[in-house]
Amino acid sequence: MEKPPKWYDAHLDEYRKVAYINSRAQYDEMYRQSLENPDAFWGPLAKEYLSWYRDWDRVLDYDFVEGRIEWFGGGKLNASYNCLDRHLEDKADKVAYYFEGDDPGMSRSVTYRELYEEVNKVAAWLVAQGIKKGDRVVIYLPMIIQLPVAMLACARIGAIHSVVFGGFSAESLASRIEDSHPRILITSDGGFRAGKVVSLKKNADEALKLSEWEVEKVLVYRHAGNGVEWDAGREVWWHEAIAQDGLPDYVEPEPMDAEDPLFILYTSGSTGKPKGVLHTTAGYLLYGAVSTRWVFDIKDDEVFWCTADIGWVTGHTYIVYGPLTCGLTTVLFEGVPSYPAYDRFWAVVEKYKVAKFYTAPTAIRAIAREGDELAHKHDTSCLKLLGTVGEPINPEAWRWYYHHIGRDWCPIMDTWWQTETGGHMITPLPAVAPIKPGSCSFPFFGVEPVVLDADTGRPVEFANQEGALFIKKPWPGMARTVYGDHERFKETYFSKMPGMYFTGDGAKQDEDGYWWIIGRIDDVINVSGHRLGTAEIESALVLHEDVAEAAVVGFPHALKGQGIYAFVSVKPNIATTEALKKDLVALVRKEIGPIATPDLIQWADALPKTRSGKIMRRLLSKIAAGAVTDPEAVEKGVLGDVSTITDPEVLRPLILGRLSLNS
Ligand code: 7RM
C-alpha cells in the first residue's frame, strides 16, 4: 500500500489569496509580537473587535503564582451590546441563526433584529424579578434559539449564566445549582433528540427537589409540547412572561467591568466534584471573536456551523459569543448526526450553503462507519474549510473527513483547547503552513506552550519527546477562577509548576515544530469529546449498597475515542450478577447522565493499591486496554515497575478477568 503523505497543502495557494493571515512569515511575525508585547498586540484588536463604554487603563496585569489575571483593567463594556445592539445599524436584517430542528421539517431563521428584540424582552422580565448584576441564572435548555437568547439576556443585565448541558441528569443539575446558588432557573418542557422527546422540565423538577438551594422562579419555554407538572407559585411560561403588560421592549445594557464575570461553566477534573470554571467579559469575548475570524477565516457573507452543544464550552465560544461578536451567520442545530439518517450533517450543509464546518472526531467516526455513499448524497461543494475539536483525531478519521467531505482540498483545523482556555490554543490557520493529520500545528497568538519532562520538571530537549503541556503566559480568553474556590483554581492550574498554567494534557513537538496532543495525563477521560472525571463515576458506583469499591479508567474505543471501564469490588456475600451490572449502569446514568454510561464492568476481588492506599490506575488502564494478556505479566515485568504495589498478586485475577470479558 502507498504510504500516505505527511503534508497536506492543496488549499494553500487559494487561501493565500483571501486569508486574513496569509503566510508563514506573517504568522511568525505576529506570533513574535503577541509574546513580546501583548499590550501592543491585543490593544488594537480590542478596539477593532469590541465596542467599549470606557477605555481600559492597562491591557494586562497578572500574577501566575497566585492565579490572578486581569485583561483590559478599568475598561467597561457589555457582551450583549457587542453581540447585538451595535450590529443593528448595518446588520439588522442579516440572519444571526439558522435554526434547524431535530425534525428536518422544523426550521426557522432569526435575524439580528429579532434576536435583539427577544433578548430585550427576556432581560426585561429578569429585571422585573429583581435580578441584578452578579446574580446567577442556571440555564437548562435544548439546542433552541431560546438558549442563546437566555444567555444574552443575562449578559445584558450583568447576571452570570451557568448553562447546564441538557444531557445531564437531575442529580448533576442539582449539584450545579447547589454550587452556584442561582435565583432563577430557565428550562423548557422538553427537547427533541432523534425523534424522541427528552423531558427536561421533569429533570429540572427533580433537581429542585434534590437541591437544598431554593430558586425563586423557574422560566419554562414551551418547545416539545410534552405534558409537565406545574407549580404556579414558582413557575412561569416563557411566552406569558414576555407578553406581560408593561414589560419594556428595551433594557439598557449594564456597563460591565472588563473583568466582571460573564459565565460559569462546570467541567470535570481529577477530583470528584466538577469545577465551576469562571470566564469574565472582555478578554473572553475578544479571544472568542478573533479566533472565530482567523482560525476559520470567516468572511461576512459566509455561513458557519459548529455542531457542538451550547452546553459545552465549544458552543459558548463558537456558536454564541465568537460569531455574534463578529456579526456572522451560523447554524444552530438541535438534532444528532444520525437522524433521520447518517447524512443529516451534509443535508444541512447543503441546505444553508455552509462554508466553514466545525465538528468532533467522534461524530466523523460514527458517520464514516455508515459508509461513503451517504456523504455523497448531497452537494457539499459549498464547504471551504473543516474543523475538529474535543479529542485527538485518528489518521483514518482525518483522511475520511478530508477526502469525502473536504474533496481532497478543504484544510482541516484541528483545534486544541479547553473549557478553561475559552478559545483555540494550538491550531492550524488555513493559509499559514501545510497541515499534518493528527497535529494541531502551531500556537495561536499570545499562547506560549512548553512541554516539561514528567520526571525532571525541565523543558524537554529533543523533538518528539513527550511530556506535560504547560502554558507560560496569560492569554485573554483564559478562565479567571473556579467559582467560589480560588484556592482550587490555584492548586489545579498553577501549582504543578509555579508560574505556569498546567493543561492536564500530554504533548510533544515534532522535528518540524508541529504540536501533537497525546491526551490527558490526569484522571480525566475523554468520551466522545466530553470530559469526565474518573472519580465522579466512581462516586456514583459506590453509592450502590452492594459495592465496596470501584476504580474507573478509560480504554480505547473505536467510536468514542475512549470508553469507560469500571473495576468493581462487591461487599462480602454479594453475588456478582448481570442484574447487578445493569443496576450499576442505571445508577451512573441517573447520577451523571447517559454520557457517563460504563461500557464495561469487570468484577474485581481486590484492586491494586500503593501503600498509602491510592489505586494504581496506570496498571488498571493497561489491563483495561487489553494490553496485558499474560497472567504471568507481573513476574515477567511486563507491567513495568510494580514495587510500590502492596500486593502484586491481585493483578493476576484482574488480567484473567479482562480476557473473559468480550470487547
Ligand atoms: C474544547 C474542549 C478539553 C480536553 C483537552 C484535551 C482534549 C480538545 C483537542 C483535544 C487533542 C484536540 N474543551 N482536546 N481538543 N485533544 N486534539 N484538537 O474540548 O474542556 O471539554 O476538553 O479535550 O484533552 O484537555 S474540554
Side-chain angles (χ1 to χ4, degrees):
M1 218 174 74
E2 213 183 307
K3 206 166 165 250
K6 176 174 166 189
W7 310 100
Y8 288 79
D9 59 4
H11 61 284
L12 268 185
D13 288 342
E14 281 303 302
Y15 259 100
R16 285 194 166 138
K17 292 182 203 151
V18 298
Y20 296 108
I21 296 157
N22 63 6
S23 69
R24 179 68 196 259
Q26 188 189 353
Y27 162 81
D28 285 344
E29 177 55 20
M30 287 172 71
Y31 181 64
R32 191 187 58 74
Q33 274 183 18
S34 74
L35 296 189
E36 279 174 15
N37 194 345
D39 291 30
F41 185 86
W42 292 107
L45 286 169
K47 285 254 155 74
E48 183 188 338
Y49 277 77
L50 302 177
S51 301
W52 298 79
Y53 298 120
R54 182 187 187 280
D55 275 355
W56 54 90
D57 301 320
R58 58 206 164 268
V59 173
L60 172 61
D61 189 24
Y62 76 103
D63 175 350
F64 254 19
V65 174
E66 290 300 312
R68 189 182 59 77
I69 305 109
E70 184 194 76
W71 283 91
F72 307 105
K76 282 190 182 288
L77 76 170
N78 179 281
S80 165
Y81 180 89
N82 273 278
C83 290
L84 301 169
D85 304 46
R86 65 183 183 141
H87 298 317
L88 294 185
E89 210 176 295
D90 58 340
K91 297 192 181 77
D93 297 317
K94 180 173 180 173
V95 172
Y97 289 117
Y98 286 120
F99 169 70
E100 173 78 9
D102 179 66
D103 175 347
M106 200 191 265
S107 64
R108 157 189 181 210
S109 49
V110 179
T111 64
Y112 272 91
R113 189 203 317 277
E114 288 165 337
L115 198 62
Y116 164 87
E117 287 171 356
E118 185 92 354
V119 166
N120 270 281
K121 273 293 175 192
V122 175
W125 180 81
L126 288 170
V127 170
Q129 311 316 303
I131 305 303
K132 49 185 195 326
K133 181 175 168 178
D135 288 341
R136 274 82 54 218
V137 174
V138 167
I139 303 175
Y140 185 62
L141 283 170
M143 280 287 285
I144 55 178
I145 294 296
Q146 287 68 31
L147 177 45
V149 166
M151 293 162 77
L152 292 165
C154 290
R156 194 166 189 87
I157 64 168
I160 307 168
H161 61 69
S162 165
V163 177
V164 178
F165 170 56
F168 275 127
S169 68
E171 279 76 2
S172 292
L173 176 58
S175 76
R176 284 155 175 78
I177 288 172
E178 289 197 318
D179 190 73
S180 62
H181 292 178
R183 292 183 63 188
I184 304 277
L185 169 65
I186 304 181
T187 187
S188 75
D189 52 354
F192 295 106
R193 210 186 133 79
K196 294 197 184 77
V197 172
V198 183
S199 316
L200 289 175
K201 173 69 164 59
K202 199 162 155 265
N203 284 353
D205 291 346
E206 182 68 28
L208 292 176
K209 262 188 225 130
L210 288 167
S211 165
E212 305 222 330
W213 176 260
E214 301 267 340
V215 302
E216 293 164 35
K217 285 270 157 62
V218 183
L219 184 65
V220 187
Y221 185 77
R222 184 177 282 155
H223 175 59
N226 51 321
V228 292
E229 277 183 29
W230 202 254
D231 172 350
R234 183 176 70 181
E235 294 165 357
V236 190
W237 283 109
W238 175 300
H239 58 271
E240 287 173 6
I242 62 171
Q244 202 174 288
D245 274 348
L247 208 61
D249 294 326
Y250 175 75
V251 176
E252 191 81 43
E254 178 80 27
M256 303 289 281
D257 284 340
E259 284 297 341
D260 275 334
L262 179 60
F263 66 84
I264 301 167
L265 186 58
Y266 286 85
T267 194
S268 297
S270 31
T271 49
K273 215 175 91 176
K275 296 184 280 280
V277 170
L278 185 121
H279 282 282
T280 57
T281 306
Y284 170 80
L285 215 55
L286 176 66
Y287 200 73
V290 173
S291 54
T292 300
R293 263 287 179 222
W294 289 352
V295 172
F296 304 115
D297 202 66
I298 307 189
K299 305 299 190 253
D300 286 333
D301 58 353
E302 287 178 334
V303 177
F304 177 52
W305 181 16
C306 164
T307 71
D309 193 291
I310 293 175
W312 308 107
V313 74
T314 306
H316 276 60
T317 306
Y318 297 107
I319 301 179
V320 183
Y321 289 110
L324 295 180
T325 299
C326 292
L328 298 169
T329 300
T330 72
V331 176
L332 196 159
F333 176 47
E334 185 187 9
V336 294
S338 56
Y339 181 80
Y342 272 97
D343 63 341
R344 185 70 189 278
F345 275 3
W346 323 126
V348 174
V349 163
E350 180 178 35
K351 179 171 176 184
Y352 299 110
K353 302 274 172 293
V354 173
K356 312 286 165 79
F357 177 77
Y358 190 32
T359 196
T362 187
I364 298 164
R365 288 192 295 267
I367 293 167
R369 193 180 58 165
E370 299 299 313
D372 305 343
E373 300 73 34
L374 285 168
H376 299 286
K377 263 182 73 181
H378 303 273
D379 177 7
T380 54
S381 57
C382 47
L383 285 172
K384 291 186 231 167
L385 176 146
L386 305 172
T388 70
V389 60
E391 56 177 311
I393 182 164
N394 50 310
E396 306 75 58
W398 195 98
R399 292 201 182 88
W400 188 90
Y401 195 31
Y402 187 77
H403 179 65
H404 292 286
I405 307 305
R407 312 181 306 283
D408 291 320
W409 185 85
C410 295
I412 299 178
M413 303 298 108
D414 180 346
T415 62
W416 172 80
W417 60 294
Q418 310 177 301
T419 306
E420 297 88 339
T421 72
H424 303 143
M425 294 292 281
I426 306 184
T427 175
L429 294 169
V432 164
I435 46 180
K436 297 188 190 189
S439 165
C440 306
S441 295
F442 305 116
F444 195 66
F445 304 106
V447 175
E448 193 176 353
V450 59
V451 176
L452 301 187
D453 184 278
D455 297 323
T456 65
R458 281 199 292 272
V460 297
E461 289 172 44
F462 309 107
N464 293 308
Q465 208 178 323
E466 292 181 13
L469 180 62
F470 286 79
I471 312 290
K472 287 164 95 167
K473 294 209 179 89
W475 61 99
M478 71 184 300
R480 302 299 197 260
T481 194
V482 167
Y483 184 72
D485 195 350
H486 192 71
E487 273 310 308
R488 193 167 174 203
F489 185 68
K490 265 170 68 177
E491 160 65 26
T492 311
Y493 306 107
F494 297 97
S495 70
K496 303 279 180 298
M497 180 55 67
M500 288 188 199
Y501 169 85
F502 177 54
T503 66
D505 279 312
K508 64 174 188 181
Q509 210 179 357
D510 71 14
E511 60 286 355
D512 302 309
Y514 281 60
W515 288 85
W516 299 75
I517 305 295
I518 316 295
R520 300 294 301 197
I521 51 176
D522 51 6
D523 293 325
V524 170
I525 47 188
N526 190 327
V527 181
S528 302
H530 301 318
R531 258 167 82 166
L532 290 164
T534 52
E536 266 176 88
I537 305 171
E538 288 162 5
S539 308
L541 289 166
V542 297
L543 286 176
H544 196 287
E545 55 175 10
D546 293 347
V547 172
E549 201 171 34
V552 169
V553 294
F555 74 109
H557 189 285
L559 223 51
K560 303 180 189 179
Q562 279 192 299
I564 298 172
Y565 198 106
F567 292 91
V568 175
S569 311
V570 291
K571 290 184 181 159
N573 304 321
I574 297 294
T576 52
T577 61
E578 283 307 307
L580 180 54
K581 276 194 185 178
K582 281 211 179 97
D583 279 1
L584 292 177
V585 167
L587 179 60
V588 174
R589 291 172 66 95
K590 175 170 164 294
E591 286 300 315
I592 304 173
I595 48 168
T597 308
D599 294 284
L600 287 171
I601 294 178
Q602 179 180 339
W603 304 119
D605 291 333
L607 296 168
K609 288 191 187 155
T610 62
R611 267 164 248 284
S612 62
K614 242 181 149 260
I615 294 171
M616 298 179 81
R617 284 163 208 288
R618 186 178 53 87
L619 299 179
L620 292 175
S621 299
K622 284 189 186 167
I623 296 172
V628 205
T629 48
D630 185 347
E632 309 297 321
V634 180
E635 291 80 354
K636 292 181 183 163
V638 182
L639 282 167
D641 183 10
V642 292
S643 58
T644 49
I645 190 172
T646 40
D647 178 12
E649 268 311 299
V650 306
L651 292 170
R652 183 196 304 268
L654 292 178
I655 295 167
L656 290 169
R658 175 67 181 105
L659 291 175
S660 61
L661 263 192
N662 26 328
S663 151

